């Protein structure tokens, strides 16, 4: 046989073996994947009814009882570990009054972990709601929160009111005065109440400057023996107006003893 023909025959034989090996390897891989898929499928079928048996509550909630959390979660379908709707469980817990955020995670084979973060109440809002540290209103029992400041304002002004309260409170504290309440009217006019009963009318503009004007003048304000300061009207470009209220008999007696 001619050398060139013999060499061509050898190359053809090698190519045939490479093709056979490649096809064989491909078939082995396909069969393996089918077997693995079937095994996983069979395992899922066998374990599809695995129930949730354990609940771990993390985050150390202060106002939300663990019993209430468990009761909320039991409203979800806990019959299948795989089919449990984590988002639904999260929403059920999130609907509890004091809960701010919730994280829910499944842990094989029968446990769910719930991490709860509560609101931090910083003020009362319009008498029937509370404000958290971000200035967001939420509804929850406030029976034990008597020392929180009282804030009032139109719906949607919660954050603005809380930011203003913090600003004014800091200004007044530096001068040994305590802010106890704040109100924002529908026309966005501001009023402040101090813990000594004095009301400050600030109006709608330059409110920080007007608070500072009060701070500068108050130590030099004339104190009357028969009356105490009731309202200080700061709704002027310069100056202020002061109104007094008479002292009660008991207050007069205490003042005379002092």
């Amino acid at each position: 046989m001619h050398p060139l023909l013999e060499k061509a025959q050898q190359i053809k034989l090698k190519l045939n073996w490479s093709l056979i090996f490649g096809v064989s390897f491909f078939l082995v891989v396909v069969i393996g994947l089918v077997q693995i898929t079937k095994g996983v499928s069979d395992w899922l079928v066998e374990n599809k009814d695995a129930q949730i048996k354990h609940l771990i509550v993390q985050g150390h909630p202060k106002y939300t009882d663990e019993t209430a959390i468990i009761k909320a979660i039991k409203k979800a379908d806990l019959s299948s570990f795989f089919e449990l709707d984590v988002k639904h469980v999260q929403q059920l817990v999130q609907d509890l009054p004091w809960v701010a955020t919730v994280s829910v995670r499944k842990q094989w084979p029968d446990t769910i972990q719930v991490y709860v973060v509560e609101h931090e109440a910083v003020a009362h809002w319009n008498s029937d709601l509370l404000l958290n540290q971000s200035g967001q209103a939420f509804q929850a029992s406030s029976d034990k929160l008597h020392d929180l400041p009282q804030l009032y304002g139109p719906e949607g002004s919660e954050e603005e009111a809380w930011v203003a309260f913090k600003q004014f409170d800091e200004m007044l504290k530096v001068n040994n005065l305590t802010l106890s309440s704040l109100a924002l009217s529908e026309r966005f006019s501001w009023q402040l109440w101090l813990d000594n009963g004095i009301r400050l009318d600030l109006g709608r503009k330059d409110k920080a400057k007007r608070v500072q004007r009060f701070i500068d003048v108050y130590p030099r304000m004339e104190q009357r023996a028969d009356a105490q300061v009731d309202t200080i009207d700061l709704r002027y470009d310069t100056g202020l107006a002061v109104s007094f209220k008479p002292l009660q008999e008991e207050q007069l007696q205490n003042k005379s003893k002092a």
Side-chain angles (χ1 to χ4, degrees):
M1 180 181 293
H2 195 277
L4 289 176
L5 291 174
E6 185 177 354
K7 192 170 183 179
Q9 193 110 9
Q10 291 174 352
I11 293 172
K12 183 178 180 182
L13 185 61
K14 286 181 180 180
L15 289 174
N16 288 339
W17 277 109
S18 297
L19 180 62
I20 292 171
F21 177 77
V23 171
S24 300
F25 179 76
F26 176 75
L27 290 174
V28 169
V29 171
V30 170
I31 293 171
L33 289 174
V34 170
Q35 291 296 326
I36 291 172
T37 303
K38 185 177 184 304
V40 171
S41 178
D42 292 342
W43 183 82
L44 289 173
V45 170
E46 290 175 4
N47 293 277
K48 70 174 183 176
D49 294 328
Q51 295 184 347
I52 301 297
K53 296 179 181 178
H54 302 287
L55 168 65
I56 300 175
V57 177
Q58 299 174 317
H60 307 293
K62 180 179 179 181
Y63 298 101
T64 308
D65 190 85
E66 189 170 312
T67 304
I69 295 175
I70 294 172
K71 185 177 179 180
I73 292 174
K74 283 185 175 180
K75 294 177 182 178
D77 183 3
L78 306 178
S79 61
S80 173
F81 179 86
F82 292 103
E83 295 179 4
L84 176 67
D85 187 343
V86 171
K87 289 185 177 180
H88 184 215
V89 173
Q90 181 176 332
Q91 188 59 55
L92 289 170
V93 179
Q94 185 104 34
D95 288 341
L96 295 173
W98 277 96
V99 176
T101 60
V102 184
S103 174
V104 180
R105 187 167 67 91
K106 294 191 285 187
Q107 181 178 312
W108 176 255
D110 56 7
T111 303
I112 55 173
Q113 294 180 342
V114 181
Y115 190 88
V116 176
V117 177
E118 289 187 316
H119 293 287
E120 180 186 340
V122 294
H124 295 280
W125 178 250
N126 288 337
S127 299
D128 58 348
L129 297 174
L130 293 166
L131 288 185
N132 64 18
Q133 65 272 34
S134 299
Q136 299 172 330
F138 66 99
Q139 190 160 27
S141 175
S142 58
D143 296 340
K144 299 179 181 179
L145 303 173
H146 303 296
D147 296 333
L148 295 180
Q150 299 280 349
L151 275 61
Y152 304 88
E155 184 178 353
S157 65
E158 296 90 344
E159 185 176 354
E160 182 181 2
W162 174 238
V163 169
F165 181 90
K166 288 191 293 182
Q167 179 188 9
F168 300 148
D169 186 46
E170 189 64 32
M171 293 174 65
L172 292 162
K173 273 183 178 177
V174 172
N175 296 275
N176 299 316
L177 296 165
T178 302
L179 181 59
S180 62
S181 186
L182 172 151
L184 178 61
S185 73
E186 294 288 344
R187 298 182 62 187
F188 288 88
S189 180
W190 297 83
Q191 290 182 319
L192 310 180
W193 283 264
L194 308 185
D195 67 342
N196 58 11
I198 295 176
R199 189 184 83 206
L200 307 180
D201 290 340
L202 304 180
R204 289 183 288 179
K205 62 180 182 178
D206 298 329
K207 49 188 183 292
K209 289 182 179 179
R210 291 173 179 180
V211 171
Q212 187 60 52
R213 188 192 309 163
F214 159 74
I215 291 171
D216 295 339
V217 172
Y218 185 65
R220 302 193 301 272
M221 194 173 292
E222 183 180 354
Q223 302 295 321
R224 291 174 49 178
D226 62 336
Q228 65 182 13
V229 177
D230 182 23
T231 304
I232 299 178
D233 191 345
L234 295 145
R235 294 173 295 177
Y236 303 93
D237 293 333
T238 59
L240 50 83
V242 181
S243 62
F244 292 84
K245 61 182 177 182
L247 293 172
Q248 301 295 325
E249 184 176 347
E250 183 178 348
Q251 292 174 309
L252 286 170
Q253 291 174 356
N254 291 337
K255 196 167 186 178
S256 63
K257 292 176 182 178

